[in-house]
Amino acid sequence: MQIDIRTDSVKPVRQTFANIARRLGADKPATRYQEAMYDLQPEANFHYRPLWQPEYELYDKRRTAVVMADWYALKDPRQFYYGTWVNTRARQQESMEKNLEFLEQRALLAALPEPTKELLATTLVVLRHTEWAANMNNAYVTAYGYGSAITEATMFHTMDRLALAQYLTRIGLLIGGKPAVAAARDAWLQDAAWQPVRHAVEDLMVCQDWFELFVAQNLVLDGLVYPLFYQKLDAQLALEHGPACALATDFMRVWHAETARWVDAVVKAAVQESPANAATISRFAFAWLDRFEPALAQVAQRLFGPDGGDVLAAVAAPLEKRLSGLGLSREGAAS
Amino acid sequence: MSDQLVFIALQTNEDTRAVIEAIETDNPHATVHRFPAMVKIDAPGRLEINRATIEDLIGRNWDMQELQLGLISLAGNIDETEDQLVLAWR
């Protein structure tokens, strides 16, 4: 007897959800990201206005000066939905844990010279406070932003910032135990060098326009702080003390490179929407750049001594270039 | 170079979806046949797979070697670099 294996193909009646099919034009299979991102924003049947802001709806497009015809244009090029985000971060956490374990077992951070440890405690570890602010700010964007394309990604970003704050705390603990972390807190609260930064960051936390907050925190402030600490400072420490510190901050470097792609994509999409958006966002970006850059001057001086100003300029110049690459300009802001 | 068919056959899954889409974009002359659990793409003469196109679609870095994970079969002489895989008859 001969057995023939025959294949029957069953064509699915529909390839994806109706709302996705309407967006993608034809009924073709959608990616998980598309299915998990599009059209999740509640749009109708709000029974009450927010009591604290009766001029707005509960979810309202008017909470920012930026105007988009379709808020779902602010897509995440990393295509993070819960599954992909968790997988990516789980892998990174595993390697970060290995790094920290390596550092701890050999006491590489604890063995740094006393002045270096003190410097790190009053500069690098202090960033855990700015990370917490970034966590709060992105939670605000998530709460008041419009469209699940952006709020979904900012929620993941919110959690990322919490993780970054925790890693910085652990670096503090590896450097000098609880006293080092306490010293970082004191520096944030009292150290004169940090007060302009704290002032600027606290002003961010009361910023009402969520898109402005997104730009100020994730594009401008991060665009200065991350290269300053995780490239310039890492490089300087590596010259004197080897790569121990770079090992501890590896995640920050990789994370920033990855995240910058998303931030750029969001800002670029909003800028390309209209000249009015371009002007608004230019105003946001350059106003905060002019605020943050001088605010960081004293911290840069603490880190790099007399070269501080040059290093800060060397960090700000590429950021300005990045901004103009996104279609933002000082002239555009003025008009 | 001859116009004889080259083809690549890939499993149908979430990971090869972008690869197939990229091949369709980069090779307008190719024909895509969808079978149960397999997608076979025929093209007269030449077929190219570009890393950049796939990376644009999936939003992350993609290694040419990842192709192997979903690859069932192919026909043609292979010319592979880190950025591109070309199937053609020489």
Side-chain angles (χ1 to χ4, degrees), chain A residues 163-190:
Chain A
L164 287 160
Q166 287 175 350
Y167 278 140
L168 287 164
T169 309
R170 286 180 62 183
I171 291 171
L173 291 173
L174 289 177
I175 288 173
K178 267 190 187 166
V181 179
R185 184 169 180 273
D186 284 344
W188 179 245
L189 292 176
Q190 266 118 38

Side-chain angles (χ1 to χ4, degrees), chain A residues 80-90 155-157 159-160:
Chain A
F80 277 165
Y81 58 95
Y82 187 71
T84 43
W85 176 72
V86 167
N87 278 335
T88 312
R89 294 293 179 257
M155 188 62 225
F156 295 139
H157 193 81
M159 300 310 293
D160 284 346

Side-chain angles (χ1 to χ4, degrees), chain A residues 218-235:
Chain A
N218 298 345
L219 178 62
V220 182
L221 182 56
D222 288 357
L224 290 170
V225 166
Y226 273 73
L228 187 67
F229 279 86
Y230 303 121
Q231 288 170 19
K232 304 290 182 191
L233 178 63
D234 267 12

